[in-house]
Amino acid sequence: MNFFGDLVKVYEQNEDLAGKVDESGPTLVPIAHNSVNVQIEVRIDGQGNYISARPLDKEETVTIIPATPAAVNRTSKPAAYPLSDKIVYMAGDFAQTMTDEKERDKAIEQHKLYLAELSNWASSANAPVEIKAIQQYISKGTLLADLMSDNFEDKDKKKIAKGDLFARFIVNSKPVFQDQLIFHNWTRFYLESQQDHEESQPIGIDYITGKRGITTKSIEAGISSRDNNAKLISANDDSAYTYRGQFLGDDYYSVSYESSQKMVHALSWLVRRQAIYVDNRAFVFWGTGGTEKPLDVATLLTGFRSAGHFDKKTQDKNSNVEDARAVATQYRDRLRGLVANMSDDETVSIAALDAATTGRMAVVYYNVLDGSSFKQNVMSWGDTASTNRFFKDHVERYTPNFSEIINLAYGNGSNGSRFKKLSKQVMTQLVSAVISGRALPDDIYRAAFRRIKHPLGYSDSPQGTAGTQIWENDMFKHAALIGYRNGGGNEMTTEELNRDRSYVFGKLFAVMNEVEKLSMNIQRQRNSSVTDRQTTAMRFMTNYMERPATTWNRLLSTVNQSYISRLGGGTRARYERAYLDLIHQLGDGMTDEPLEYNFSRGFADQTVELREARAEAKKKREEQKND
């Protein structure tokens, strides 16, 4: 089924929620209704007598109101909503306050339109008693006077006097704006009135359902709160000639009014409830029928927290070092948990929306997968695009989220408009590749690799994170990313990894980096004025990547001369044994051929191994001391 058809299906499968107020999220708007911000609440009795009114707090203003296409899309030409509208439409006495004759005539016309819409509904056979009471009150023409004589503050009265505020009703203690029966009554009345005047309505084939019926060209805007004027279907072929030579006018599409309402309201509901934004581009995931089951997966892919980090509350506080295999098992269990509630025969839809222009919403990406493929691809991403990290006293499995990957590859100048435009394009590439199980564009890998090769280009963050720490974090992110590029690189055997020259050089680099960091830490314990700084390895890194053998000899000489001698005998022996074993492992690979992507994987693995061993040695020393 196509995108629009899927949205109609989502609406129909959740139609019982239409108009049902949900305090935890947005409400699915019923057919022939709209969601607006209302500022005034008017209370009347069942006989249409005014009781009181009050201004609404900001968090109360969002209100579902009955609507017509003309009212929803009105500009300068007057068109009235049938129940809640601006005071200038609702108040019969508003025109009396105006001195400008042209403006007074316009206000009179606006009120006549409003009263006609409301009276037509109130006089229908099955009109709710509350609507009849409201019509009785409005017919008195005293709304503005009642509001101005009520106990409003002067600042609120000034706003009321301008006539631009919307008002809603409570009748006999019943909030009309939350009553599903009243919503359904208006929907039925409006659709039936369209059928009664079918001869004056446009008739055609609904391209979504394939059925013949009343069509519309008035497609609502307001799908995304960040692009509130953008419409899902919009074209002006009278001047711009969007489809010149192919169609006459706007005959390129034909959609029934009901289908247009269902697809727009369903999409708006999904976007406002569960979209993830990158700049103004909205990424939204939903399961069969618009269920929220894939939401955790959306967070895994594009959330702002790394999915691979376990909640520290679940860690065993008495355990210093996690067994690597247990960590990997726990991580895979968590991945499975994210998709466990999704059945194999369920479908998952993914859409990316952006405003192509101020008035047009573009669907820049759309895909539908069966649950089995979706789960498999998500599991593959989480399982391969990951690496171990050592946090304080334990090992964790880590997968960078998409936002982190974008910042890793293109983060320099991330406050500029170019970065914002690029980031949403790359996010779309990441989403489409991962959920489809395809390779990522190599541009992302290259850009990320260029960045980590220049640690001297990193500076401290405004939040106080040291540039050295930011660079190290990026090294681990790149290592995880290369795991996905290798098509399951985290499952490579030790022999396969050890034969990779770039991987082994990355491990050698990590040994020298750790030796100096440990030496600096010892100095800092003796002298608190010693601050963190870039290591010799970091300063040599760019040359190391281009001419590894030559730069290694310089690095080894510098670190041996200045730092390794400061370590204790056992610690020094452990690090010397580590780099000597790795040199032996390289064999004929000790050349100046430039290094490739697996360098970061070697760095990450060796860093975790060294820190884990150091933590284990510290634990043993403490146990011996306690004994």
Side-chain angles (χ1 to χ4, degrees):
M1 187 177 288
N2 61 30
F3 178 55
F4 295 153
D6 283 348
L7 292 174
V8 170
K9 183 179 178 181
V10 167
Y11 186 93
E12 291 174 346
Q13 291 181 331
N14 293 278
E15 199 160 6
D16 59 322
L17 299 177
K20 186 175 183 179
V21 177
D22 183 359
E23 298 297 335
S24 63
T27 303
L28 178 61
V29 178
I31 294 172
H33 287 73
N34 194 18
S35 177
V36 300
N37 290 323
V38 174
Q39 297 81 21
I40 300 294
E41 186 173 272
V42 178
R43 186 182 294 268
I44 64 173
D45 63 21
Q47 287 72 49
N49 298 311
Y50 179 85
I51 298 175
S52 65
R54 71 181 182 95
L56 296 173
D57 294 332
K58 188 175 181 180
E59 60 272 14
E60 299 179 278
T61 59
V62 177
T63 307
I64 305 297
I65 64 172
T68 66
V72 171
N73 293 285
R74 72 186 179 195
T75 52
S76 58
K77 183 179 179 180
Y81 285 98
L83 182 58
S84 291
D85 208 328
K86 291 182 177 181
I87 292 171
V88 65
Y89 277 88
M90 298 173 68
D93 53 346
F94 189 87
Q96 301 170 14
T97 66
M98 309 186 77
T99 56
D100 184 275
E101 184 177 354
K102 186 176 181 180
E103 291 297 319
R104 184 170 60 249
D105 290 344
K106 183 178 179 181
I108 291 172
E109 180 187 3
Q110 288 171 325
H111 179 66
K112 285 182 178 179
L113 290 172
Y114 171 75
L115 187 58
E117 291 281 2
L118 176 61
S119 298
N120 284 339
W121 185 12
S123 62
S124 63
N126 299 310
V129 294
E130 293 83 5
I131 301 304
K132 295 179 182 292
I134 294 170
Q135 193 273 339
Q136 282 182 279
Y137 170 66
I138 290 296
S139 296
K140 297 176 182 179
T142 61
L143 175 60
L144 181 62
D146 290 337
L147 292 176
M148 296 301 287
S149 62
D150 211 320
N151 192 28
F152 283 96
E153 295 182 8
D154 288 343
K155 62 177 184 179
D156 293 321
K157 287 186 177 181
K158 289 180 180 179
K159 295 177 182 178
I160 291 170
K162 292 180 180 180
D164 290 332
L165 302 185
F166 272 78
R168 68 190 190 192
F169 288 97
I170 291 180
V171 180
N172 277 343
S173 300
K174 177 184 284 189
V176 173
F177 48 87
Q178 293 180 350
D179 193 314
Q180 279 186 290
L181 292 177
I182 292 177
F183 293 152
H184 294 160
N185 183 272
W186 166 255
T187 299
R188 186 167 55 251
F189 168 75
Y190 181 74
L191 294 179
E192 288 176 354
S193 66
Q194 277 193 317
Q195 295 293 336
D196 292 342
H197 299 87
E198 185 174 333
E199 68 282 353
S200 62
Q201 301 288 340
I203 304 297
I205 300 296
D206 180 1
Y207 287 1
I208 295 177
T209 64
K211 298 177 181 178
R212 187 174 178 82
I214 297 172
T215 61
T216 183
K217 299 296 182 181
S218 297
I219 308 299
E220 287 184 22
I223 293 168
S224 167
S225 58
R226 302 197 185 186
D227 296 297
N228 214 34
N229 293 320
K231 296 183 179 182
L232 196 58
I233 302 177
S234 176
N236 178 3
D237 224 38
D238 293 332
S239 59
Y241 295 107
T242 310
Y243 297 97
R244 189 175 189 178
Q246 299 177 53
F247 299 96
L248 296 176
D250 54 8
D251 289 340
Y252 64 93
Y253 77 100
S254 178
V255 180
S256 73
Y257 175 73
E258 282 192 69
S259 290
S260 74
Q261 288 280 290
K262 289 177 180 179
M263 71 182 186
V264 170
H265 291 172
L267 184 57
S268 177
W269 180 57
L270 291 169
V271 168
R272 293 172 189 271
R273 186 179 64 166
Q274 59 205 54
I276 297 166
Y277 281 91
V278 178
D279 192 26
N280 284 341
R281 182 163 295 181
F283 294 84
V284 59
F285 295 68
W286 68 92
T288 302
T291 63
E292 294 185 278
K293 290 178 183 177
L295 280 180
D296 283 340
V297 177
T299 302
L300 166 68
L301 297 178
T302 56
F304 297 105
R305 293 184 61 189
S306 302
H309 284 219
F310 304 127
D311 187 341
K312 292 188 183 297
K313 294 179 182 179
T314 67
Q315 295 287 336
D316 180 1
K317 295 182 179 180
N318 297 319
S319 173
N320 286 329
V321 181
E322 297 280 347
D323 176 77
R325 183 172 298 177
V327 169
T329 300
Q330 184 184 2
Y331 179 65
R332 290 190 182 96
D333 287 345
R334 182 176 181 198
L335 284 173
R336 293 188 186 97
L338 288 170
V339 293
N341 293 328
M342 198 185 308
S343 64
D344 289 347
D345 57 357
E346 182 176 6
T347 61
V348 180
S349 300
I350 307 97
L353 309 167
D354 205 345
T357 66
T358 304
R360 294 190 173 110
M361 178 69 72
V363 183
V364 297
Y365 175 77
Y366 182 63
N367 198 1
V368 180
L369 285 84
D370 62 89
S372 176
S373 298
F374 188 82
K375 287 194 291 184
Q376 180 180 342
N377 294 338
V378 167
M379 287 290 294
S380 176
W381 164 255
D383 211 16
T384 61
S386 60
T387 187
N388 284 346
R389 292 200 65 174
F390 192 82
F391 287 90
K392 294 184 178 180
D393 59 357
H394 59 275
V395 176
E396 295 180 0
R397 198 72 176 165
Y398 169 79
T399 296
N401 62 52
F402 283 8
S403 296
E404 289 176 318
I405 292 171
I406 293 169
N407 283 317
L408 165 65
Y410 307 104
N412 286 332
S414 58
N415 292 325
S417 59
R418 181 179 179 276
F419 173 78
K420 291 180 180 179
K421 181 178 180 180
L422 182 64
S423 64
K424 60 185 180 183
Q425 292 172 348
V426 176
M427 181 69 83
T428 306
Q429 292 176 330
L430 290 168
V431 170
S432 65
V434 170
I435 62 119
S436 303
R438 300 196 311 269
L440 302 183
D442 201 53
D443 287 352
I444 297 174
Y445 295 113
R446 285 199 302 270
F449 197 49
R450 277 196 305 270
R451 182 117 190 267
I452 62 170
K453 286 197 297 185
H454 299 281
L456 301 185
Y458 284 77
S459 56
D460 298 348
S461 73
Q463 293 75 31
T465 304
T468 53
Q469 185 60 54
I470 297 172
W471 170 81
E472 183 178 295
N473 291 342
D474 279 356
M475 286 290 285
F476 278 91
K477 292 171 189 174
H478 189 265
L481 192 59
I482 295 306
Y484 185 74
R485 182 182 183 274
N486 292 345
N490 288 313
E491 303 301 325
M492 290 174 68
T493 65
T494 302
E495 290 76 13
E496 289 173 322
L497 283 171
N498 289 340
R499 288 196 297 269
D500 187 286
R501 177 174 166 275
S502 296
Y503 177 83
V504 179
F505 264 113
K507 299 190 79 170
L508 278 171
F509 185 90
V511 173
M512 293 296 100
N513 190 62
E514 285 299 296
V515 165
E516 188 167 350
K517 287 177 73 71
L518 182 56
S519 177
M520 285 192 296
N521 189 46
I522 293 172
Q523 281 185 290
R524 196 175 297 112
Q525 291 174 356
R526 296 171 181 170
N527 183 358
S528 59
S529 63
V530 176
T531 58
D532 192 18
R533 59 168 175 76
Q534 292 167 333
T535 64
T536 305
M538 292 176 65
R539 294 199 300 272
F540 284 9
M541 183 176 178
T542 303
N543 289 336
Y544 188 90
M545 301 296 294
E546 299 301 324
R547 298 183 298 278
T550 300
T551 311
W552 163 254
N553 290 326
R554 289 179 57 203
L555 179 58
L556 178 61
S557 175
T558 302
V559 172
N560 272 343
Q561 181 179 347
S562 304
Y563 301 107
I564 203 166
S565 59
R566 297 176 185 173
L567 306 181
T571 303
R572 182 169 64 248
R574 183 166 63 249
Y575 282 95
E576 287 176 340
R577 185 169 60 251
Y579 75 70
L580 289 172
D581 287 346
L582 290 168
I583 291 172
H584 176 75
Q585 193 173 312
L586 267 175
D588 296 337
M590 181 61 78
T591 66
D592 273 342
E593 183 183 350
L595 301 178
E596 297 178 349
Y597 294 149
N598 266 338
F599 171 84
S600 62
R601 292 176 52 73
F603 172 87
D605 288 351
Q606 187 67 38
T607 299
V608 170
E609 182 181 328
L610 293 173
R611 292 179 184 178
E612 186 177 8
R614 195 161 69 239
E616 185 64 27
K618 180 181 178 181
K619 178 182 177 182
K620 288 181 179 178
R621 289 196 302 271
E622 291 175 350
E623 289 174 349
Q624 290 172 357
K625 187 186 299 183
N626 292 332
D627 291 341

